[in-house]
Amino acid sequence: MRITMVVDGVSYTDEVEPRTLLVQHLRETLGKVGTVVGCDTSNCGACTVHVDGHSVKSCSMLAVQADGCEITTIEGLARDGRLHPVQQAFHDNHALQCGFCTPGMIMQAIDLLADDPDPDERTVRHGLEGNLCRCTGYQNIVRAVQDAAHRLKPAGERQPEHETVGGGE
């Protein structure tokens, strides 16, 4: 079957088998290997991408279902050599260890922040519950998402950073 999709701003038209998963097409045909194959059962969320602006576990969607869609992968987030604010917040807050879940976590976090630009800890945890991390206690991931929320606000809406108690004198 012939499909056309825009992936990370580039239009692709390819012949695909009807049973090809979107994650397989992205990785094997288009070389978007930042989209990770985790569990193949949609339980872990490592393969999360954006389809028409919303997070989707790409192992649960056929490539033919994405015909005519706009797909954003982890590779499509950085602009002009600068990380997306959520990517930068994950880096700055040490919100990864092995990094396997990180692309899916970041993609899900972006979707979460689009729905709720100022989430509390509970909202972040709930919003990421479909994405699993086996290395961390999620503390730094939650911190990173809340930091990214701050970074994504227009400069005039940002609250001043609070000093750490007993911090660094």
Side-chain angles (χ1 to χ4, degrees):
M1 176 171 229
R2 188 175 196 79
I3 63 169
T4 299
M5 61 180 69
V6 175
V7 180
D8 297 335
V10 178
S11 181
Y12 295 91
T13 300
D14 295 295
E15 292 289 329
V16 298
E17 291 290 325
R19 67 179 183 263
T20 302
L21 295 173
L22 179 58
V23 69
Q24 294 169 318
H25 183 67
L26 292 171
R27 289 179 58 81
E28 297 166 15
T29 304
L30 303 183
K32 299 294 182 173
V33 295
T35 302
V36 180
V37 176
C39 63
D40 275 333
T41 62
S42 77
N43 286 321
C44 75
C47 67
T48 302
V49 298
H50 291 172
V51 177
D52 291 336
H54 298 285
S55 61
V56 171
K57 293 177 181 178
S58 61
C59 75
S60 67
M61 182 176 191
L62 297 171
V64 296
Q65 292 175 292
D67 186 29
C69 293
E70 185 169 332
I71 313 295
T72 305
T73 70
I74 192 75
E75 289 104 333
L77 294 180
R79 295 280 183 247
D80 301 321
R82 294 182 54 134
L83 294 176
H84 183 281
V86 176
Q87 289 174 305
Q88 190 65 54
F90 267 66
H91 176 270
D92 293 349
N93 287 277
H94 311 287
L96 61 130
Q97 281 183 342
C98 80
F100 196 78
C101 71
T102 306
M105 286 283 188
I106 289 172
M107 299 306 287
Q108 183 61 31
I110 291 169
D111 198 24
L112 166 68
L113 293 172
D115 289 340
D116 185 345
D118 194 22
D120 61 17
E121 179 179 346
R122 184 171 182 226
T123 302
V124 172
R125 288 181 182 278
H126 179 73
L128 297 178
E129 71 184 1
N131 292 67
L132 303 178
C133 176
R134 293 187 172 105
C135 298
T136 73
Y138 293 92
Q139 299 298 354
N140 290 347
I141 292 170
V142 171
R143 250 185 242 114
V145 174
Q146 290 181 308
D147 180 24
H150 175 77
R151 293 169 191 240
L152 289 167
K153 288 181 182 176
E157 294 179 26
R158 293 183 193 159
Q159 296 293 324
E161 294 290 327
H162 296 290
E163 290 185 26
T164 308
V165 176
E169 294 174 345

